[in-house]
Amino acid sequence: MPAKTNPPCKDSDCGRRNTLLLGVLESMPQGVGVFDENLLLRLWNRSLVNALNLTPSAVLDGATLADLLHNSAGNCDYAPERLAELLDQFNTSAGALLNFQGELAQSDGRIHQIMGQPLLMDGKLAGYVTTFVDISEQRATQEREQLAQKVFDHTPAGIIVTDNAQRIISANPAMLAMSAYAPYEIVGQTIFALLAPDAALTPAIFQETIEQNRTWNGEISIVRKTGDLLPAGVRVNRVDDLNISQSSHHIWIFADITERKQAEERMRHIAQSDSLTGLPNRLALQIRLAQTLPDARRHNWQVAVMFIDLDRFKNINDTLGHPVGDELLREVASRLSQVIRETDFVARLGGDEFVIVLPGISAPADAATVANKIIGALSSPILADGNELHTSPSIGISIFPDDGNDGDTILKNADTAMYHAKSAGRNNYQFYAGDMNKSATERLDIERKLRHAISRNELALCYQPQFSADGSHPTGVEALIRWHHPVDGIISPVRFIPIAEETGLIVEIGEWVLRTACHEMKNWIDAGLQPIRVAVNISARQLRRRDFCEVVAGCLAESGLPAELLELEITESAVMENPLEAISILESIGRMGVTLAIDDFGTGYSSLAYLKLFPIDHLKIDRSFVADIETDLNDRAIAFGTIALAHSLGLNVIAEGVETEDQLELLRTNGCDEVQGYLFSKPLSSGAAFAFLHSRATAG
Ligand code: C2E
Ligand code: CA
Ligand code: CA
């Protein structure tokens, strides 16, 4: 009690002490108000005036707390009832000689804590001392902390706070749910015990990064208590303690990204697989090569890449329709998958192109073994939509690192080797050889130029006369195409026809040949030539076209050439590709009056028995037999046997490539009906052919 602790004072002392006390009071940051026993204000300081926003002119002496607060009512944030309650509590506490504590919220946002303490004299209330302390700052901090705690407790993100050494100080409920641990199981552990080992985030790397950047972002897997991994996106921030210059805390925020990862995985699967066959696609192949080749390089392994293209697939697609083609591709995909081992890789690039990667072969021969297995696997017919389909693969093989140092080159070279397999007669495999690329580029070059050949008038026909075997009169001509390229000069049909067939350009070119041959022969006849046959070579690809008969009929109609003067030369292999279909097409052609010759006879199936099913008029003995007829007894036997057999079937036989009198003599005496060859005439330009035939006919 102040009265007892302070010694009684003399008047002069009292005055000085009073002044001192008033000075202390004025300098206090808190508002102080001393009320008398009637709770009327008697002593106050400037801080009180400020705290309550009182007008300096207000009469404060003798005011009650209610007066003060009402005076500051404009600033008080309380409803009248609340204010009344506060005052009531104040008065009651003072009346009961008790301490008072209350809070005053003001509309300017400040909050003051009001404390009251009774001054007693002889056990009675002598006064009531109140202080007004601004606790706005403290309260705001408290609220922020509470809010932070709420966020910590209720956010779906996992939060972990670690110390300087990355030991876990606390983890929020979401984090506990994510990790399936109870707090006591992880608090105190290093956080790295909770994370799947990751080369990109070792404790050392982490420490260095966070030291430098104060923050770290990434994706990492949480090892759950169950042992499963949970993929999470992570952000770590270093929170510095202002008092110590060293970092004090790290806040780790984890977001569960399982769903995103699953979606990514689904997208990856969709992006990397071929929807038709379910096999990996080109993108997947590129990724696989990018993974496999560096490994192989490190370990000195060889990797084989096999490029597989189905022979005659386009044929099947064109004639039987895409659904059948699709079914064929699915079956091929499944057979290829069965042939390879688990560590091998098969992809479909699109169309009828497949690629197999054999990682870690010990010798190229291993690839040859697989290639043979593939040929075997595709040799049995495939049933698709009631059709028995025959397909065969042309396989190109290139070996890493011998045939290329990167995925693209290896693949390109396997592709090149595949083209060689095709030109080597299909249904076989070829290893890549360094000089193949030259012919591959050459091939592309020809293809490019050929596309313009018709429109730029670079194509022409020449005609090689055919004669009766006694040489007495011409029986017909064979139209043979010539390509005069303005820069490259004459390009042989032996070079460009296979490319035209492969690319489908033969359809357009073939139609041009037919139309031109019909027109020229008609022109010759109109110009006075004795009517003779003109023979036109037809490719398998043309024969497969549904509109082939109409094209032939159209050319005849347009030109006015009588149908029986047109002959179509078709190779055995072309008709044997799809015999049933060929029979029906050739029958309709035959019905028009057009005649048919089997070209290059003896080089293909040579099944005369089968050929008699076709409405054929002529058989052309291939010039390779004729060339050897004088020296090779075997060839001679075949040639003569063929003539006899053809006659027994009622077919006329033409020998092509007759170059010598001896050949002619042998053929003639063995019953050959007609002959064609350099002995009589080389193929002649249109004008020369007309002149030649005209003179022969008039001479004969
Ligand atoms: P092919 O149908 O067997 O044509 C006969 C080929 O033998 C012609 O070669 C001809 O010039 C050549 N020849 C003729 N007589 C003799 C001879 O006594 N000795 C030798 N060594 N050869 C002779 P060409 O004109 O170079 O045609 C080659 C092949 O190109 C043709 O073989 C044919 O398969 C194809 N071809 C030519 N023109 C056409 C065409 O318009 N359409 C189609 N689809 N193919 C064509
Ligand atoms: Ca021919
Ligand atoms: Ca021929």
Side-chain angles (χ1 to χ4, degrees), residues 24 55 58 64-65 108 124 148 159 257 291 293 359 365 381 422 431 473 496 558 665:
V24 169
T55 39
T64 62
L65 180 64
D108 60 5
K124 283 203 196 109
I159 303 175
I257 53 171
Q291 290 164 344
L293 299 187
K422 275 225 186 293
F431 280 94
H473 63 281
F496 74 82
E558 272 170 38
E665 184 61 20

Side-chain angles (χ1 to χ4, degrees), residues 564-634:
E564 55 284 2
L565 292 186
L566 177 65
E567 179 157 274
L568 303 184
E569 292 195 6
I570 299 159
T571 62
E572 291 179 82
S573 47
V575 293
M576 293 307 287
E577 253 183 34
N578 194 337
L580 295 180
E581 205 182 16
I583 287 175
S584 93
I585 293 172
L586 297 181
E587 269 170 352
S588 1
I589 300 265
R591 276 196 296 275
M592 285 183 223
V594 173
T595 57
L596 294 169
I598 291 293
D599 203 356
D600 301 346
F601 188 79
T603 56
Y605 294 78
S606 302
S607 166
L608 256 186
Y610 208 81
L611 281 180
K612 80 175 178 220
L613 297 173
F614 295 93
I616 307 166
D617 302 276
H618 285 104
L619 208 64
K620 291 188 81 172
I621 297 181
D622 190 66
R623 58 182 187 276
S624 60
F625 288 97
V626 175
D628 293 340
I629 208 170
E630 295 158 284
T631 48
D632 190 323
L633 291 181
N634 216 10

Side-chain angles (χ1 to χ4, degrees), residues 464 478 481-482 493 513 537 539 599-600 623 657 659 677-678 683:
Q464 186 175 34
E478 179 180 3
I481 195 165
R482 291 296 174 261
V513 171
N537 292 286
S539 286
D599 203 356
D600 301 346
R623 58 182 187 276
E659 294 181 354
Y678 294 170

Side-chain angles (χ1 to χ4, degrees), residues 340-358:
I340 61 168
R341 290 172 312 178
E342 214 165 275
T343 47
D344 301 339
F345 179 82
V346 55
R348 175 173 170 246
L349 298 196
D352 56 345
E353 292 176 344
F354 295 84
V355 167
I356 289 180
V357 179
L358 309 174

